């Protein structure tokens, strides 16, 4: 099996890139990054492998944290608890995993599999199931592919272990898992439904860890050399610059357990006189410029701090911030009719036909 | 009301006397190595015309960069015992885990983590392990540690475990100086804990510095209580500032903006404070600078301090000027202006030289800059104005034109008309705006907390009540309290209509 060891510098870049791919949600990867710094200091190392190098009958564990990002800022998830979510699942299945992978490359969950992998001495597959961050479990490539949504293990740092053993679909996995998570204190380390090597090869979104590292490396290099970080991002990814402006209003409301709302921007530089509005449900979902739809899910809408090139999240975006908005292309899996049913604008309640910013 | 405001800056220590709302006298003295001498000199100079003779002073308000400099320069820091209540959570990220190694090596006296802490909704996360706390304190005592920083999970919501642990510390180490992270506010364990650790590291310096300030005031013959200005434009009584020195980290820029508001009479405006090397642009809302809401790094340590949101650009009275192609700043001659500027016999063309040539300033020798014709001067001023305009546009949060107050020694670079600005206000004593801001500082109270199962209105009212009580406890007159910030954020994923509310109120210092 071909594997490549990641340097700590790769992981520093991964954290910056994963936050950009978080498209406003997924939580800031700073705390997982700190964990990785500590693990590397203690001599742990992690390896990345390609999905193509998995055997069809290998089993792969999908690692993610579930919960409110705010709780995660007080109850800091430690790496051993994530590793335990994996071993609890292995015990439940009576099988060992050959590798781990990310559920969502976007945000903090893009780094967390590496925290578990460092303890378990397992490689991490260079694939995920969203290619970004999304708010719900059925918004994954594996759900679009019709793969099963159970079992799920949920672990609390105080030693609680739960398994959601059997559910009819992903929506139920989300509902029951969410209840357990809330009782834990709105934070749980989880191992998502196990996947075979064959399933990962067919339904995984490939190369996303490498993509996040490339994005982060470009931004960090631009920061060091005081060059334009947004131009650096667009030089490594086939993205599109949509807008430059500053935040003039943010309205947020919590509904059905999500942070929904709208952020409004006033254009500066080339966009002076032009208004932008982006609706969010944890992640940036639909952007309108001067009243006309400009970009929408599943295209990745990334709001970046203009000066640093780092991502700006929907939970922390604030008045007066100077931002640049870009779009990045989504995985083709989400562009199919079935894919758009799961993650297109209508899946978020917007009566819009999907039109990609990359189609013209 | 009669107050003295002092701003101890890198170059000058400015002092102003304000009587019944008017600046009576403003002076500058060089900042001294020991800080205290500079304060004493400026106070002597302030009183040299007899304006202070026989008069009762209600307060001396000092703004200082002393504490932040100690952290940045890694000097005069105290070894700290870190006690975290929250096991078994967060074990892989212990206190000091994201500090620069050199600073951690100086400050880290030891780390103890025991069971305790709360959930976001006030439930217990784990009961406080009192036996483990006492065991830890005995080890701290054996190690000779006196400054203790205590942090607990979700302590801004329920400080009970931190308070109880503080009692247990004091029982074993009676002269311990204890910092509880809940006194430092915000949600975010690591950042709040970092603030607590920095605060504990400043314990000895704060005690000595504030004692020295008190001595300087007494030696100058002034009988008045001492207040220290804080990052957010308010003051703390000397006793509280001694206990929580981190709140006085970055008061200079804030004082300038507050002074600008006061001298101009405008409460909502943009401010540009043009110094020798840089210009800081900020926005006044209700007479206070808009705060940065994100993580602020101090000496390499991540914190969530209340700091003003500022954009600094390389434009000032000492900025280098290059004529072909035209370039103004960001390099500056800084405090060497009076040696290196052409009008003063030096060789470097600066913005001040251009102002002298065009007759805007009457400094140095105008003949030495006679070669600069009116068209050239205009080009330089236009470029400076363009830089200022761009920065102001970036900091503005309203689409319409807003007034701009120009203060600081380099304020001459700001023209009377700028695009996006309704009018430019230049004020008398604008070069001492920072000391004026210190003199007029108020007292604040803040609440940042998660409320559950309350309507939005009730949650805001509850937060307001808590903030009011905190302001009064800090020395404010209750009748003078006004709310200057009120912000609520519903929380994704948390059940039961959870909302995080942040309210900040300010009021005048209660008459003692």
């Amino acid at each position: 099996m071909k594997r490549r060891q990641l340097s700590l510098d790769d992981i520093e870049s991964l954290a910056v890139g994963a936050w950009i791919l978080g498209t406003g949600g997924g939580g800031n990867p700073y705390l997982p990054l700190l964990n990785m710094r500590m693990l590397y200091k203690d001599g742990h190392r992690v390896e990345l492998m390609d999905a193509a190098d998995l055997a069809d009958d290998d089993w792969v564990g999908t690692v993610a944290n579930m919960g409110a990002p705010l709780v995660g800022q007080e109850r800091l998830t430690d790496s051993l608890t994530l590793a335990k979510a994996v071993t609890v699942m292995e015990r439940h299945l009576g099988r060992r995993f050959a590798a781990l992978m990310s559920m969502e490359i976007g945000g903090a969950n893009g780094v967390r599999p590496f925290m578990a992998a460092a303890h378990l001495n397992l490689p991490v597959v260079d694939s995920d199931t969203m290619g970004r961050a999304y708010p719900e479990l059925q918004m994954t490539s594996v759900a679009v592919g019709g793969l099963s949504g159970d079992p799920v293990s949920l672990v609390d740092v105080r030693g609680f272990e739960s398994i959601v053993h059997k559910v009819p679909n992903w929506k139920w996995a989300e509902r029951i898992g969410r209840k357990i998570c809330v009782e834990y204190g709105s934070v749980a380390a989880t191992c998502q439904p196990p996947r075979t090597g064959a399933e990962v090869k067919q339904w995984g979104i490939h190369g996303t860890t490498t993509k996040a590292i490339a994005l982060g490396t470009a931004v960090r290099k631009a920061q060091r050399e005081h060059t334009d970080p947004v131009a650096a991002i667009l030089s490594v990814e086939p993205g599109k610059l949509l807008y430059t402006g500053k935040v003039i209003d943010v309205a947020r409301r919590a509904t059905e357990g999500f942070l929904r709302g709208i952020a409004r921007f006033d254009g500066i530089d080339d966009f002076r006189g032009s208004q932008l509005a982006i609706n969010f449900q944890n992640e940036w979902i639909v952007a309108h410029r001067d009243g006309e739809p400009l970009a929408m899910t599943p295209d990745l809408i990334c709001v970046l701090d203009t000066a640093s090139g780092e991502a700006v999240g929907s939970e922390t975006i604030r008045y007066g911030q100077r931002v640049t908005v870009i779009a990045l292309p989504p995985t083709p899996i989400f562009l199919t009719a079935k894919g758009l049913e799961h993650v297109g604008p209508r899946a978020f309640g917007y009566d819009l036909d999907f039109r990609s910013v990359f189609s013209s | 009301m009669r107050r003295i405001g002092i701003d101890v800056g890198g170059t000058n220590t400015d002092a102003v006397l304000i009587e019944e709302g008017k600046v009576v006298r403003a002076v500058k003295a060089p900042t001294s190595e020991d800080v205290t001498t500079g304060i004493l000199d400026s106070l002597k100079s302030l009183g040299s015309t007899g304006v202070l003779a026989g008069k009762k002073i209600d307060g001396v308000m000092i703004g200082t960069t002393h504490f932040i400099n100690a952290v940045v320069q890694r000097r005069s820091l105290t070894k700290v015992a870190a006690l975290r209540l929250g096991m078994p959570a967060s074990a892989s990220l212990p206190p000091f885990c994201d500090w620069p190694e050199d600073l951690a090596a100086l400050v880290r006296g030891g780390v103890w983590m025991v069971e305790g802490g709360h959930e976001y909704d006030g439930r217990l996360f784990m009961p406080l392990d009192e036996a483990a706390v006492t065991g830890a304190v005995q080890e701290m005592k054996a190690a000779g540690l006196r400054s203790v920083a205590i942090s607990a999970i979700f302590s801004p919501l329920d400080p009970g475990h931190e308070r109880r642990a503080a009692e247990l510390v004091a029982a074993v180490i009676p002269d311990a100086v204890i910092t509880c992270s809940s006194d430092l506010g915000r949600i975010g364990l690591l950042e709040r804990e970092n603030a607590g650790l920095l605060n504990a590291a400043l314990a000895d310096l704060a005690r000595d510095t504030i004692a020295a300030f008190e001595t300087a005031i007494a030696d100058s013959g002034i009988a008045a209580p001492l207040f220290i200005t804080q990052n957010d434009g308010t003051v703390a009584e000397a006793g509280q500032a001694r206990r929580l020195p981190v709140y006085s980290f970055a008061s200079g820029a804030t004082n300038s903006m507050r002074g600008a508001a006061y001298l101009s009479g405008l409460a909502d405006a943009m401010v540009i404070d043009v110094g020798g090397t840089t210009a800081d642009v900020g926005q006044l809302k209700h007479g206070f600078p808009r705060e940065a809401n994100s993580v602020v790094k101090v000496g390499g340590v991540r914190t969530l301090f209340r700091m003003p949101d500022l954009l600094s650009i390389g434009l000032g009275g000492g900025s280098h000027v290059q004529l072909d192609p035209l370039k103004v700043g960001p390099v500056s001659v800084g405090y060497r202006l009076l040696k290196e500027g052409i009008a003063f016999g030096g060789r470097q063309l600066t913005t001040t030289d251009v102002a002298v040539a065009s007759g805007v300033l009457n400094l140095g020798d105008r003949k030495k800059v006679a070669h600069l014709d009116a068209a050239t001067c205009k080009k330089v001023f236009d470029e400076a104005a363009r830089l200022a305009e761009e920065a102001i546009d970036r900091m503005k949060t309203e689409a319409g034109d807003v007034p701009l107050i120009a203060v600081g020694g380099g304020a001459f670079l700001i023209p009377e008309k700028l695009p996006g600005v309704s009018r430019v206000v230049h004020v008398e004593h604008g070069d001492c705006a920072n000391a004026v801001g210190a003199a007029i500082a108020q007292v604040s109270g803040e609440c940042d907390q998660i409320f559950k199962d309350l309507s939005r209105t009730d949650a805001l009212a509850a937060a307001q009540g808590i903030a009011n009580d905190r302001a009064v406890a800090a020395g404010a007159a209750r009748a003078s309290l006004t709310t200057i910030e009120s912000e609520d954020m519903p929380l994704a994923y948390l059940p039961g209509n959870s909302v995080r509310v942040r309210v900040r109120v300010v009021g005048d210092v209660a008459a003692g």
Side-chain angles (χ1 to χ4, degrees):
Chain A
M1 231 187 250
K2 283 185 301 246
R3 298 174 177 186
R4 53 190 181 282
Q5 193 178 87
L6 295 188
S7 67
L8 186 56
D9 195 64
D10 289 331
I11 293 166
E12 299 273 347
S13 290
L14 171 62
V16 173
W19 190 213
I20 292 170
L21 294 173
T23 61
N28 191 318
Y30 177 70
L31 292 171
L33 170 63
L34 266 189
N35 267 292
M36 291 309 297
R37 286 185 192 154
M38 304 290 282
L39 288 164
Y40 265 60
K41 210 161 111 186
D42 291 344
H44 292 278
R45 294 294 179 269
V46 290
E47 291 180 327
L48 194 65
M49 64 175 289
D50 290 335
D53 293 324
L54 287 166
D56 282 352
D57 59 354
D58 277 343
W59 286 90
V60 178
T62 305
V63 179
N65 235 38
M66 190 168 181
L70 187 95
V71 173
Q73 290 172 38
E74 287 286 323
R75 283 179 57 176
L76 317 179
T77 300
D78 70 25
S79 45
L80 280 168
T81 307
L82 279 168
K84 196 163 170 203
V86 175
T87 53
V88 164
M89 179 63 89
E90 285 183 325
R91 207 168 63 226
H92 175 72
L93 298 171
R95 292 193 197 97
R96 302 300 298 270
F97 288 124
L100 301 179
M101 67 184 273
S102 301
M103 178 180 80
E104 56 180 341
I105 186 65
N109 276 335
V111 184
R112 288 199 180 103
F114 294 92
M115 291 164 61
H119 288 292
L120 300 170
N121 214 16
L122 287 172
V124 175
V125 182
D126 190 5
S127 306
D128 77 314
T129 67
M130 292 182 177
R132 50 174 296 162
Y134 268 131
E136 297 182 57
L137 289 180
Q138 75 279 6
M139 297 175 168
T140 60
S141 58
V142 289
V144 171
L147 306 184
S148 82
D150 60 56
V152 178
S153 72
L154 299 100
V155 169
D156 177 281
V157 68
R158 287 163 292 187
F160 314 157
E161 300 170 6
S162 307
I163 299 275
V164 178
H165 177 59
K166 204 76 208 159
V167 283
N169 55 41
W170 289 90
K171 272 274 185 199
W172 276 103
E174 165 80 28
R175 285 176 67 173
I176 295 171
R178 190 68 67 190
K179 279 276 187 299
I180 294 170
C181 172
V182 165
E183 278 311 300
Y184 281 2
S186 284
V187 59
T190 77
C191 189
Q192 296 291 316
R195 300 274 84 102
T196 64
E199 287 173 335
V200 173
K201 281 184 240 183
Q202 186 179 359
W203 290 107
I205 303 168
H206 304 303
T208 47
T209 295
T210 300
K211 180 195 278 192
I213 292 172
L215 280 172
T217 303
V219 169
R220 293 172 65 224
K221 181 162 179 279
Q223 288 173 347
R224 271 196 310 276
E225 295 173 356
H226 301 288
T227 54
D228 180 358
V230 177
I233 289 171
L234 297 176
S235 74
V236 295
E237 271 298 306
K240 205 165 177 177
L241 189 137
L242 300 180
Y243 191 79
T244 304
K246 64 191 167 187
V247 183
I248 53 169
D249 186 48
V250 184
R252 299 180 176 93
R253 64 188 196 283
T255 47
E256 299 150 38
F258 299 107
L259 186 69
R260 288 191 167 94
I262 185 161
R264 294 176 194 281
F265 308 82
D266 199 10
I268 53 179
D269 300 338
D270 293 347
F271 297 88
R272 202 176 278 221
S274 168
Q275 306 265 322
L276 186 77
I278 310 183
N279 294 79
F280 54 90
Q281 177 179 339
N282 296 8
E283 285 76 28
W284 311 117
I285 303 300
V286 175
H288 284 84
R289 182 175 168 187
D290 300 323
E292 291 296 314
L294 174 67
M296 63 191 80
T297 173
D299 280 353
L300 282 71
I301 301 170
C302 306
V303 179
L304 310 168
D305 180 289
T306 300
S308 72
E310 292 186 27
V312 177
S314 67
E315 201 167 57
T316 49
I317 192 168
R318 62 185 167 80
Y319 289 102
Q321 264 180 310
R322 273 74 64 192
V323 301
T324 298
V325 183
I326 64 167
L328 297 175
T331 174
I333 297 170
F334 288 153
L335 296 176
T336 62
K338 182 89 193 307
L340 289 172
E341 210 175 281
H342 282 250
V343 299
R346 287 199 173 82
F348 293 86
Y350 297 94
D351 192 21
L352 291 169
D353 291 322
F354 172 67
R355 190 164 168 275
S356 173
V357 302
F358 300 101
S359 64
S360 52
Chain B
M1 190 148 69
R2 192 177 291 117
R3 286 170 164 194
I4 292 171
I6 300 175
D7 183 273
V8 186
T11 315
N12 286 313
T13 295
D14 301 343
V16 299
L17 172 67
I18 291 194
E19 241 177 61
E20 306 309 332
K22 285 214 169 60
V23 179
V24 174
R25 188 166 155 74
V27 299
K28 282 179 185 288
T31 294
S32 62
E33 191 68 34
D34 67 350
V35 179
T36 315
T37 315
I39 292 174
L40 200 50
D41 288 348
S42 67
L43 283 174
K44 274 187 192 146
S45 163
L46 192 68
S48 65
T49 58
V51 289
L52 298 174
K55 289 183 181 163
K56 180 182 176 296
I57 307 291
D58 295 301
V60 176
M61 334 306 245
I62 300 184
T64 178
T65 49
H66 219 47
F67 302 130
I68 200 163
N69 287 347
V71 173
V72 172
Q73 297 163 11
R74 276 74 165 130
R75 59 174 170 79
S76 314
L77 299 172
T78 308
K79 283 257 187 232
V80 173
L83 175 61
R84 186 198 280 169
L85 320 171
M87 287 294 274
S90 319
S92 60
L93 298 176
F96 295 106
C97 68
D98 64 344
W99 280 45
E101 200 38 59
D102 64 327
L103 187 59
L106 279 176
V107 175
R108 184 172 44 213
V111 169
W112 289 268
M113 298 195 284
V114 308
E115 288 178 0
H118 289 81
E119 300 278 25
Y120 70 90
D121 57 0
R123 281 184 291 165
L124 268 189
F125 172 64
M126 290 293 279
L128 180 64
D129 186 344
E130 298 201 358
V133 172
T134 299
V137 181
Q138 266 146 4
E139 289 173 28
M140 292 172 197
K141 190 181 183 185
L145 298 167
R146 271 185 57 257
S147 186
V148 183
I150 306 174
S151 53
I153 294 184
F154 277 115
S155 67
L157 271 65
D158 189 336
H161 282 181
E162 289 188 358
R163 300 256 166 84
R164 177 63 187 142
E167 289 171 11
L168 296 169
V169 171
V172 178
I173 310 175
D175 64 340
V177 183
I178 301 167
T179 302
C180 285
S181 82
S182 49
D183 286 335
L184 296 165
R186 308 266 175 97
I187 303 283
L189 176 66
L190 278 191
E191 291 82 5
R192 185 176 70 250
E193 182 175 79
N194 282 344
L197 295 168
L198 285 172
N199 193 71
L202 292 168
D204 293 332
L205 182 67
R207 184 197 59 215
D208 296 346
T209 304
I210 289 168
F213 287 170
E214 283 168 336
T215 307
I217 292 168
D219 287 356
S220 70
I222 294 166
L226 168 66
F227 294 87
I228 306 296
T229 66
Q230 305 196 94
N231 310 337
D232 66 352
T234 61
V235 285
E237 290 175 287
Q240 195 192 326
R242 187 184 294 118
R243 203 166 64 77
L244 298 172
V246 285
Y247 273 168
S248 303
F249 255 0
S251 59
T254 308
N255 288 344
S256 283
M257 291 186 64
R258 294 268 302 136
Y262 187 81
L263 292 169
S264 66
L266 296 172
D268 295 285
M270 301 299 297
V271 177
I272 186 161
D273 180 5
V274 192
T277 303
T278 58
D280 292 335
V281 180
Q283 186 172 29
L284 284 166
K285 291 256 178 201
H286 307 294
F288 281 76
R290 191 179 72 220
E291 265 179 42
N293 200 10
S294 47
V295 167
V296 178
K297 273 196 179 184
V298 177
V301 180
R302 280 166 65 100
T303 65
L304 293 173
F305 289 123
R306 297 172 297 181
M307 301 259 201
D309 192 9
L310 291 178
L311 178 66
S312 284
I313 56 168
L315 175 67
S319 293
H320 285 197
V321 173
Q322 179 189 300
L323 293 175
D324 192 22
L326 183 66
K327 193 167 183 233
V328 177
V331 184
S332 167
V333 295
Y335 66 90
R336 299 179 307 272
L337 175 65
L338 299 184
K339 259 195 243 154
E340 296 184 7
I342 291 182
F344 308 97
R347 311 177 61 138
Q348 178 59 51
L349 183 63
T350 68
T351 49
T352 293
D353 295 319
V354 176
V356 171
S358 60
V360 171
L361 291 179
N362 188 11
L363 288 172
D365 184 352
R366 196 170 170 182
K367 289 200 283 290
K368 289 198 165 73
V369 289
H371 61 286
L372 299 169
D373 59 36
T376 306
C377 291
K378 182 172 182 307
K379 259 170 49 191
V380 174
F381 277 120
D382 286 351
E383 174 63 7
R386 191 190 64 78
L387 292 170
E389 182 206 335
E390 199 176 279
I392 291 156
D393 187 56
R394 279 170 185 273
M395 289 302 285
K396 259 169 65 177
T397 52
E398 283 117 79
D401 290 357
V402 290
L404 171 75
I405 312 163
V407 296
F412 63 85
L413 286 169
I414 308 305
E416 295 303 325
K417 274 204 180 332
L418 273 177
V421 170
S422 58
R423 64 197 163 105
V424 177
V425 183
H426 289 272
V427 291
E428 199 189 349
H429 302 300
D431 59 335
C432 288
N434 44 17
V436 172
I440 55 139
Q442 292 178 300
V443 177
S444 75
E446 185 177 291
C447 172
D448 180 1
Q449 196 164 309
I450 298 170
F451 294 89
K452 222 184 124 185
D453 297 327
L454 284 184
S455 72
R456 182 171 176 270
T457 320
D458 290 347
L460 283 166
Q464 173 108 43
I466 293 169
N468 284 346
D469 290 347
R470 286 184 180 161
V472 170
R478 192 175 283 275
S480 69
L481 293 177
T482 50
T483 303
I484 58 164
E485 252 181 68
S486 176
E487 168 177 274
D488 59 298
M489 178 184 284
L491 300 167
Y493 298 128
L494 297 186
N497 224 351
S498 302
V499 59
R500 175 176 173 180
V501 183
R502 197 175 125 215
V503 170
R504 198 152 68 91
V505 303
V506 296
D508 297 328
V509 177

